[in-house]
Amino acid sequence: MSTNQKHITFWNGEKMPVVGLGTWQSSREEIETAVNAALEAGYRHIDAAYNYLNEDVIGEVLQRWIESGKVKREELFIVTKLPMIGNRPEDVEKFLKKSLVALRLDYIDLYLIHAPVGLIGKHDTDVFPHDDQGFAMIDMKTNLVNLWKSMENQVDAGLVKSIGISNFNEEQISRIINNARIKPANVQVELHVQFQQKSLREFCQKHELTICAYAPLGSPGRNDFYSKLGLKPPVAIPDLFHHPVVVKIAEKHKKSSTQVLLRYLIELGVAVIPKSVNPERIHANFQVFDFSLSVVDMAQLGQLDQGEAGFTFDFSTFFKGMDKHPENPYPNRVKGIVL
């Protein structure tokens, strides 16, 4: 990918900015600062989710920017996601409209099914429901094909421009494609230098699906996340910033390790949504269009892939029982489901 190519193009012609702001794990106060800083830095792609319970704050910031004339709605690319408690055909429109109200928008640029596993919430903000023993309240009747047909209806209604999926495996994606009237435009998954998802990338390229990487830096902030929950990380969170190969390439280009890690994925044709609430880091994460990596750089970074061993988003420690769901996307990888 050339240094000045700042978008990836969907099969339907819609264009997603290749760098977006991730908003998971952000408090309401932090997210206001983060979205403002991102828009000031030049971001136009904001990745949200009903599950994050902060869409309303994002919406307030977006409304201020649009009403002030600092940005036009059509210049923004807003992503949000159907929560797992909404993984039933009859609930898609309801949760989408809740997101639209919170985000203060008339349409969503890309609407994703957050995960293939359905949950049964006690109410509409019970996004990760558990029983008294800590077992996830799973909906064993999740039907992905019927769910997708309801997603297609939202495109027909003009409420979303493109639809996609997150945390699905290749078999599940194939099932959607084979039964789709409107095929997925984007797949969002964990993807970083130590978990490069080569098979999935080849699969998506074959089917003209684009990929967006969450945790493109390995999500080091999860250490604090687990600490706040009183839990030990279920797997080691990788320290990609200080890997000697990454550091050496960063020094050669007079860039930071973070910028090299993001640039690597961009040159693979993958969009990235690094999460930060620090304005300086948010700005720095966007400074990835003024350099490119050499063939040697790419080869060296490619060798850092650990395959399945690099997968880190195992939430089975506090989503007990998720592996019992018939649509568990990773039955042969780890117990639990990624977010």
Side-chain angles (χ1 to χ4, degrees):
M1 181 175 284
S2 65
T3 55
N4 61 358
Q5 188 170 340
K6 298 183 178 181
H7 299 81
I8 56 175
T9 304
F10 296 164
W11 66 265
N12 60 7
E14 297 294 331
K15 296 182 182 296
M16 169 192 271
V18 76
V19 178
L21 177 72
T23 60
W24 179 56
Q25 243 181 282
S26 300
S27 71
R28 298 175 65 82
E29 295 75 17
E30 290 172 331
I31 200 64
E32 181 175 4
T33 298
V35 176
N36 271 309
L39 293 172
E40 290 284 0
Y43 290 69
R44 293 298 179 260
H45 171 184
I46 306 296
D47 182 82
Y50 185 94
N51 277 350
Y52 304 161
L53 301 178
N54 57 18
E55 289 177 310
D56 58 328
V57 182
I58 296 171
E60 290 172 6
V61 177
L62 295 178
Q63 184 179 52
R64 286 199 298 269
W65 274 71
I66 293 170
E67 290 183 347
S68 70
K70 294 172 71 174
V71 69
K72 297 178 181 178
R73 170 63 185 98
E74 57 268 26
E75 295 172 339
L76 297 171
F77 192 95
I78 308 302
V79 182
T80 195
K81 309 175 190 78
L82 176 71
M84 289 180 279
I85 60 170
N87 275 8
R88 287 167 291 279
E90 63 271 20
D91 285 342
V92 173
E93 182 178 348
K94 178 183 78 169
F95 281 102
L96 170 58
K97 286 185 174 179
K98 283 179 175 290
S99 289
L100 285 168
V101 170
L103 291 165
R104 306 187 184 196
L105 299 174
D106 295 324
Y107 67 90
I108 299 298
D109 294 277
L110 174 63
Y111 196 49
L112 304 174
I113 301 174
H114 204 148
V117 172
L119 298 177
I120 302 173
K122 300 180 186 70
H123 47 76
D124 289 347
T125 56
D126 186 23
V127 292
F128 298 123
H130 297 77
D131 64 18
D132 294 340
Q133 284 74 46
F135 285 90
M137 300 292 291
I138 59 177
D139 180 359
M140 300 296 284
K141 297 180 181 179
T142 303
N143 185 312
L144 297 181
V145 171
N146 288 344
L147 183 62
W148 187 255
K149 292 183 184 304
S150 189
M151 293 284 286
E152 293 173 325
N153 291 341
Q154 310 317 308
V155 179
D156 296 337
L159 299 179
V160 299
K161 289 194 170 184
S162 302
I163 47 180
I165 48 194
S166 181
N167 301 308
F168 279 47
N169 62 34
E170 290 178 27
E171 184 280 325
Q172 291 167 328
I173 300 171
S174 292
R175 208 184 323 152
I176 295 297
I177 292 172
N178 292 337
N179 290 278
R181 178 170 55 85
I182 302 172
K183 76 175 186 178
N186 185 257
V187 179
Q188 188 178 122
V189 289
E190 176 187 0
L191 201 156
H192 48 77
V193 74
Q194 289 188 344
F195 185 51
Q196 298 188 25
Q197 299 259 42
K198 290 181 180 178
S199 175
L200 180 65
R201 285 191 285 117
E202 291 173 359
F203 172 88
C204 288
Q205 184 175 19
K206 176 183 176 181
H207 292 282
E208 298 182 311
L209 307 179
T210 60
I211 296 178
C212 181
Y214 69 72
L217 305 174
S219 193
R222 277 181 292 159
N223 285 314
D224 290 337
F225 173 73
Y226 288 119
S227 178
K228 290 176 182 177
L229 293 174
L231 300 170
K232 292 182 179 180
V235 295
I237 308 302
D239 180 5
L240 305 180
F241 302 144
H242 298 100
H243 194 289
V245 170
V246 178
V247 171
K248 183 178 179 180
I249 293 172
E251 290 175 346
K252 182 178 78 170
H253 290 280
K254 296 182 173 54
K255 286 288 186 176
S256 69
S257 292
T258 299
Q259 290 162 337
V260 167
L261 291 167
L262 296 175
R263 185 69 210 175
Y264 175 67
L265 298 184
I266 291 169
E267 295 205 14
L268 291 179
V270 174
V272 294
I273 46 171
K275 178 262 176 180
S276 179
V277 295
N278 180 296
E280 290 183 3
R281 285 197 290 268
I282 289 170
H283 182 270
N285 289 346
F286 203 67
Q287 306 309 304
V288 291
F289 300 109
D290 57 355
F291 76 108
S292 59
L293 300 173
S294 70
V295 173
V296 173
D297 295 336
M298 293 293 288
Q300 290 177 339
L301 291 167
Q303 291 173 356
L304 300 185
D305 187 20
Q306 296 181 359
E308 294 297 303
F311 173 70
T312 67
F313 268 78
D314 176 13
F315 281 74
S316 59
T317 52
F318 56 97
F319 287 129
K320 293 191 295 183
M322 298 283 266
D323 56 310
K324 301 297 191 295
H325 195 283
E327 294 293 355
N328 171 29
Y330 309 121
N332 301 316
R333 186 179 284 170
V334 291
K335 291 182 178 181
I337 188 168
V338 296
L339 294 181

